[in-house]
Amino acid sequence: MDSADPAPRGPGDTFLVAAVSEVSAEERRAALTPAGVRRLAGAGIGCVVQSGLGIAAGFPDEDYLAADAQLAPDAHAALSRARILVKVGVPTPAEIAQLPEGAVVLSLSSPGPDATAALARAGLTAFALERLPRISRAQAMDALSSQATVAGYWAALLAAERAGRFFPMLMTAAGTVPPARVLVIGAGVAGLQAIATCRRLGAMVEAYDVRPATKQEVESLGARFVELPLEVEEGEGGYARELTDETRTRLQKLLEERVAASDALITTAAVPGRPAPRIVTEAMVASMHPGAVIVDLAAPSGGNCELTRAGEEVVHRGVTILGPRNAPAMMPAPASELYARNVAAFLELIVEEGRVVVDVDDEIVAATCVVRRGEVRSGVAETAP
Ligand SMILES: NC(=O)c1ccc[n+]([C@@H]2O[C@H](COP(=O)([O-])OP(=O)(O)OC[C@H]3O[C@@H](n4cnc5c(N)ncnc54)[C@H](O)[C@@H]3O)[C@@H](O)[C@H]2O)c1
């Protein structure tokens, strides 16, 4: 195990976790909530937050103060005192420049090559929670899962609103209205939450995933698993493997009928570190009835539908294709609450008696640490999460 990392040189000697407002206008989540501050205080870790940090997520400054956070009037006042900076997005060059030497940065997203180099030049230590191994000990820190849960729930509500149909079967004096038919492609964390939410709304739900292990989970939620005669090898760590072009073409053919029959299609298929698999072709979209909707949660990594445009709404022959760029940020309050819990659990791992201890022999620390005291960790540049 490594010894404690030296405290950074900066004003004041209080141990502080800092959180500042996210720079992207689309990012409404906050990395620290009042409950997160209270939890960290219980572990002897003091926090400073930039005034206005939680406004977009529904947490006013007074709630942070009541939780014993210190309030900084601007980002600089928080950053310049940060022993650890916690964020959702990757820190900007300006934020990096304002951190004391030796500070630690924890974000959800992994820094790209430029940000990694800037973090290293500044002599910082950086962790990215999206690199967390999916092991049981890490579950409380699993921000990919917590944010995918929010995304899946929200995608189901969006589909229900935009499909323009009743999701449940309704029996009225004017006759019976059949339930909406929903198809979910990709039954990981987001897909399963979308299935559960659509089922609660009463829709008839079908789902497909290349991992046969998902069949049981899909069925336990009251949905039908679409069985396809397709042999697909499982990838490492329980993840899916990228399909060959030939298998993907077969998959598209086999799914054609199910897509054409659906009123709402929610796609969440992903392979870590790879562009999203293109599963829904233009011809498949054209086979859907006008008024149908596609919510493509894979939009940020290229989309599961070939007509998806990230952040845009595309209408093709009356079918609406929605490609949200940041679905979890659409429900910033629960997304922040869950993320702040993930952050607190991670900090409890790396902070011991007021000191940061980076134990690279720990599987969780080793996987998430991108830069260590100014050195880019080997394998980081080559292995996207
Ligand atoms: N042990 C843990 O703590 C833990 C926590 C969370 C998730 N997990 C597991 O991690 C795995 C990945 O979960 P995730 O939600 O992050 O996945 P993900 O976001 O990487 O992918 C979403 C889903 O898309 C599926 N997919 C990929 N290519 C596809 C294709 N061509 N067609 C159809 N579906 C396709 C994947 O199998 C996956 O289920 C799952 O096995 C999940 O159960 C484990």
Side-chain angles (χ1 to χ4, degrees), residues 15-17 32 34-47 67-68 84 340-341 343-356:
F15 185 82
L16 286 180
V17 169
L32 269 187
V37 169
R38 210 170 286 119
R39 171 168 166 177
L40 289 171
I45 303 171
C47 296
D68 271 347
I84 303 177
R341 284 186 211 170
V343 164
F346 187 83
L347 295 182
E348 284 161 9
L349 175 75
I350 62 161
V351 176
E352 284 176 21
E353 293 168 6
R355 299 178 318 157
V356 175

Side-chain angles (χ1 to χ4, degrees), residues 134 139 142 145 186-189 209-211 238-240 243 268-270 279:
R134 265 24 209 288
Q139 267 177 8
D142 188 348
S145 287
V189 179
D209 196 293
V210 277
R211 290 183 299 117
Y239 285 107
L243 302 182
T268 75
I279 300 168

